[in-house]
Amino acid sequence: MSEQYASDTLKDFVPEPADARRVVVLISGNGSNLEALIEAQTHDALGGEVVAVVSNEPDAHGLVRAREAGIDAVVLPHREYESRDAYDGALIKVIERHEPDLIVLAGFMRILTPRFVQRFLGRLVNIHPSLLPDYQGLNTHARALADGVSEHGCSVHFVTEELDGGPVIIQAAVEVAEGENEETLKEKVHAREHLIYPIAVKWCLEGRLQFTGQGAALDGTPLPSHGMRMSHADAAEELDEDIEP
């Protein structure tokens, strides 16, 4: 009886494919981190689909990257709005039109209003070119070099109302070489950004990462204040960089 029942029930049954998790990316410039996300998506390593790219700058090269990948590219110039709040209100409408599961800031050079942050709290992530909480704000590479630090890097974090102050998800470190300059350090940090941002986005889209009142949690386990940390050696190995003996 049970064998017949199973046969009758499951015969020719094909499960419906689950809808891909949806991502909207906000940019202002070149879009190299956007390209890293598109590349990961191409290799089924993102956990979802970038469905739209929105830029506040009409000439942002990232819009070209989006169009070439067949992604909806939207220009929303901030200079056409009388206030930051008015712009963010329009931006919310554009984003929600695409019904995203996650909003990714990839070089979006605007300070977001509390209204915007609260609307997407827990679904809004950013990448910052420093090992947070060090060097919040701008000019991180120059400031790190001026301080003579031996280690620098980048961080992916949840966005909160505190500028660059949300819970850190993952970091990648880079050793500052003797004679390092701002351009060479920036290039190394960029490579690490492109390495860890798709990882963090995938964790979010797979439901492995949670934003909680106490910080970020991965697979139900609270992360330390610096999130998951990828060492210089591990990042260099992943990137096939030469490691000094």
Side-chain angles (χ1 to χ4, degrees):
M1 178 71 74
S2 60
E3 291 180 1
Q4 181 65 40
Y5 177 81
S7 174
D8 288 346
T9 305
L10 299 177
K11 184 178 180 181
D12 299 327
F13 173 75
V14 178
E16 289 283 337
D19 291 338
R21 306 284 282 175
R22 300 168 63 84
V23 181
V24 169
V25 180
L26 307 186
I27 64 168
S28 294
N30 183 47
S32 65
N33 273 305
L34 166 64
E35 187 68 29
L37 298 176
I38 293 172
E39 181 71 13
Q41 176 180 314
T42 300
H43 293 91
D44 294 323
L46 192 66
E49 178 185 1
V50 178
V51 295
V53 173
V54 185
S55 176
N56 64 308
E57 295 288 356
D59 297 329
H61 182 64
L63 292 168
V64 177
R65 297 180 191 269
R67 294 186 187 108
E68 289 178 347
I71 298 168
D72 190 13
V74 182
V75 177
L76 191 68
H78 64 273
R79 297 175 185 86
E80 296 182 2
Y81 294 81
E82 60 184 16
S83 68
R84 191 174 296 275
D85 190 65
Y87 179 79
D88 279 9
L91 184 57
I92 287 170
K93 291 180 181 179
V94 170
I95 290 171
E96 291 190 333
R97 191 180 307 149
H98 292 89
E99 301 180 337
D101 298 288
L102 187 70
I103 299 92
V104 174
L105 307 183
F108 188 60
M109 302 304 292
R110 287 186 59 79
I111 296 175
L112 299 167
T113 59
R115 170 192 181 188
F116 184 95
V117 172
Q118 289 301 320
R119 187 64 162 253
F120 300 114
L121 190 64
R123 294 191 291 141
L124 184 63
V125 295
N126 181 48
I127 192 156
H128 184 74
S130 79
L131 297 175
L132 292 171
D134 295 340
Y135 306 114
Q136 296 169 316
L138 301 175
N139 304 315
T140 61
H141 310 311
R143 291 157 61 196
L145 289 171
D147 286 346
V149 300
S150 60
E151 189 176 63
H152 190 46
C154 55
S155 309
V156 181
H157 65 97
F158 282 112
V159 176
T160 63
E161 292 183 33
E162 179 186 355
L163 180 64
D164 301 326
V168 176
I169 298 165
I170 186 172
Q171 296 182 328
V174 59
E175 293 176 359
V176 181
E178 186 175 349
E180 195 89 72
N181 61 50
E182 192 172 344
E183 278 307 309
T184 60
L185 185 57
K186 179 180 179 180
E187 182 179 345
K188 292 176 183 177
V189 171
H190 268 169
R192 282 154 176 76
E193 291 179 12
H194 304 159
L195 177 63
I196 66 172
Y197 216 177
I199 293 172
V201 169
K202 189 171 189 287
W203 286 347
C204 289
L205 296 178
E206 290 179 340
R208 296 183 59 195
L209 195 66
Q210 297 85 38
F211 174 87
T212 74
Q214 289 71 47
L218 182 64
D219 296 330
T221 300
L223 292 174
S225 59
H226 56 69
M228 298 290 285
R229 172 72 70 89
M230 183 176 290
S231 70
H232 169 81
D234 287 343
E237 182 178 357
E238 289 289 332
L239 296 166
D240 293 324
E241 294 178 346
D242 291 329
I243 301 177
E244 294 293 330

